[in-house]
Amino acid sequence: MAAAAAAGRPWRGGRGPAGLLLLLLLLLLPGSRAEQMEEHLKREHSLTKPYQGVGSASSSLWELMGNAMVMTQFVRLTPDIQSKQGALWNRVPCYLRDWEMQVHFKIHGQGKKNLNGDGFAIWYTKDRMQPGPVFGSKDNFLGLGVFVDTYPNEEKQQERVFPYVSAMVSNGSLAYDHDRDGRPTELGGCTAMVRNLNHDTFLVIRYVKRRLTVLLDIDGKHEWRDCIDIPGVHLPRGYYFGVSSVTGDLSDNHDIISLKLYQLTVQRTLEEDKRDKEVFLPVVENMKLPGIETPMEPMSGLALFLIVFFSLVALVFAIVIGIIVYNKWQEQSRKHFY
């Protein structure tokens, strides 16, 4: 994590000596569950000032869509004006097995609380540069969406406070329910007061060993706060990273200051390697969501042999019983005839 601090990247333990000491103690403690991992910034999937890799040229790494504009200090997805939408998409598909996306963002505007909208989304999806109703991007997507939702559309809900961060995985058959703020397909979420702050705000999406976690650093303390932690998330490789935003009757400035993707190198046991097989459709284990079916594990050779063997034994047993019953019936028939 020292490399992360050197790169100016916030992390859960803080940036000071106390945070480093805590990390060292965790690593030295016997039986510690702190997992060692190496990380490398992947520039082809990252966006930093002065944003030279953004544009419509085929050589650019990032492409703008809609009302998105490159400024000197940020990329503005949407201005604080009604009925705008914009997006920023990476041109290079990501084939990393384990990764972490750090998003440095700012949401601000003239609207008072609950009179602003609508938020922005961070994407890892099969399709890119396709506008639509889900925070400015297409619905029924294939992949992962993490939403920073700043306006409550569901009037009767009182369980959550907005702004609200949530995550959704779709295999293409799921639709985001805008009127209910995505609740029917939500994997998890948390309240995140991110508007009109005078300090930096960060969000991290980490995908390691099929585990999806979302962390926030929004309090100006340079410390991560847990938001979402979902095991058993299977995402295909070769999808694209992007961010998008939309305003309606209400509006806000939605600014992206940087996107930094880190390749994470983690140790795996043989069992973990076997379990982390390649997938071709996004799926979440043990999640009863409409349209998402957890694939059945293929039977082992021994299990298949035992099923066939006992099926044959049962069939032979049934045939023998049938012959015995038939012979008894014939014998009874002959006695009755004579």
Side-chain angles (χ1 to χ4, degrees):
M1 303 298 287
R9 170 171 164 248
W11 54 286
R12 188 197 301 258
R15 292 192 181 96
L20 289 172
L21 180 61
L22 177 61
L23 178 64
L24 289 173
L25 286 173
L26 284 172
L27 293 175
L28 291 173
L29 281 173
S32 170
R33 294 185 64 183
E35 189 169 40
Q36 299 186 43
M37 63 177 71
E38 296 179 2
E39 53 195 28
H40 305 281
L41 179 67
K42 304 300 288 183
R43 299 190 183 280
E44 66 270 28
H45 301 299
S46 299
L47 175 80
T48 56
K49 301 174 189 176
Y51 312 120
Q52 293 178 342
V54 181
S56 57
S58 59
S59 59
S60 62
L61 296 175
W62 294 85
E63 189 173 3
L64 297 173
M65 184 175 71
N67 301 114
M69 293 181 62
V70 178
M71 316 294 277
T72 56
Q73 299 298 316
F74 49 81
V75 175
R76 177 154 290 170
L77 300 178
T78 60
D80 190 3
I81 301 173
Q82 295 177 334
S83 303
K84 301 293 182 181
Q85 70 176 36
L88 176 70
W89 283 94
N90 193 201
R91 288 178 177 270
V92 184
C94 178
Y95 290 94
L96 301 180
R97 190 177 190 181
D98 304 288
W99 48 265
E100 179 179 296
M101 172 61 84
Q102 175 197 307
V103 183
H104 184 185
F105 66 96
K106 187 174 183 65
I107 301 176
H108 57 106
Q110 299 298 316
K112 297 181 179 180
K113 185 178 180 181
N114 291 341
L115 291 175
N116 57 275
D118 283 332
F120 76 100
I122 307 151
W123 302 99
Y124 175 71
T125 56
K126 182 178 181 180
D127 300 313
R128 58 183 292 275
M129 297 293 291
Q130 295 193 20
V134 186
F135 295 92
S137 193
K138 67 168 289 188
D139 205 349
N140 297 98
F141 57 90
L142 273 163
L144 166 70
V146 175
F147 311 119
V148 182
D149 192 350
T150 58
Y151 180 77
N153 292 290
E154 189 174 6
E155 296 180 358
K156 295 182 180 180
Q157 72 86 23
Q158 298 178 345
E159 301 173 8
R160 60 181 62 178
V161 178
F162 282 71
Y164 193 84
V165 175
S166 64
M168 171 181 171
V169 169
S170 175
N171 62 359
S173 66
L174 289 178
Y176 180 85
D177 191 337
H178 182 76
D179 293 335
R180 298 185 61 192
D181 302 308
R183 297 184 70 174
T185 52
E186 176 187 308
L187 297 178
C190 68
T191 294
M193 310 307 290
V194 295
R195 286 193 72 246
N196 289 338
L197 300 178
N198 294 322
H199 53 262
D200 290 334
T201 48
F202 298 87
L203 181 150
V204 154
I205 305 169
R206 183 178 295 156
Y207 182 62
V208 178
K209 293 183 177 181
R210 306 300 187 190
R211 191 178 200 96
L212 176 71
T213 55
V214 176
L215 307 169
L216 300 172
D217 176 6
I218 59 175
D219 300 320
K221 299 178 180 179
H222 308 306
E223 293 180 355
W224 289 120
R225 172 163 64 88
D226 293 328
C227 180
I228 300 169
D229 185 6
I230 306 293
V233 177
H234 298 261
L235 298 175
R237 301 189 211 182
Y239 282 12
Y240 295 91
F241 287 105
V243 287
S244 67
S245 178
V246 68
T247 64
D249 293 335
L250 303 173
S251 61
D252 255 340
N253 296 303
H254 299 94
D255 300 336
I256 300 297
I257 300 167
S258 69
L259 298 168
K260 295 180 181 179
L261 186 78
Y262 293 86
Q263 179 181 7
L264 303 180
T265 304
V266 298
Q267 295 181 350
R268 278 179 168 81
T269 64
L270 290 176
E271 182 63 28
E272 287 173 332
D273 250 334
K274 184 178 179 181
R275 191 166 59 243
D276 288 357
K277 58 188 177 183
E278 188 71 17
V279 295
F280 301 98
L281 278 178
V283 69
V284 182
E285 296 175 7
N286 303 319
M287 279 289 177
K288 301 300 182 182
L289 295 177
I292 289 187
E293 297 292 335
T294 302
M296 295 180 62
E297 290 291 330
M299 289 186 293
S300 65
L302 177 61
L304 186 61
F305 169 76
L306 290 175
I307 290 174
V308 173
F309 175 76
F310 284 113
S311 298
L312 290 174
V313 169
L315 180 62
V316 170
F317 184 75
I319 292 174
V320 170
I321 294 296
I323 292 174
I324 293 174
V325 171
Y326 179 73
N327 288 337
K328 287 284 187 182
W329 176 78
Q330 277 195 326
E331 186 178 342
Q332 291 293 332
S333 298
R334 285 196 295 270
K335 287 181 181 179
H336 180 71
F337 180 76
Y338 289 108

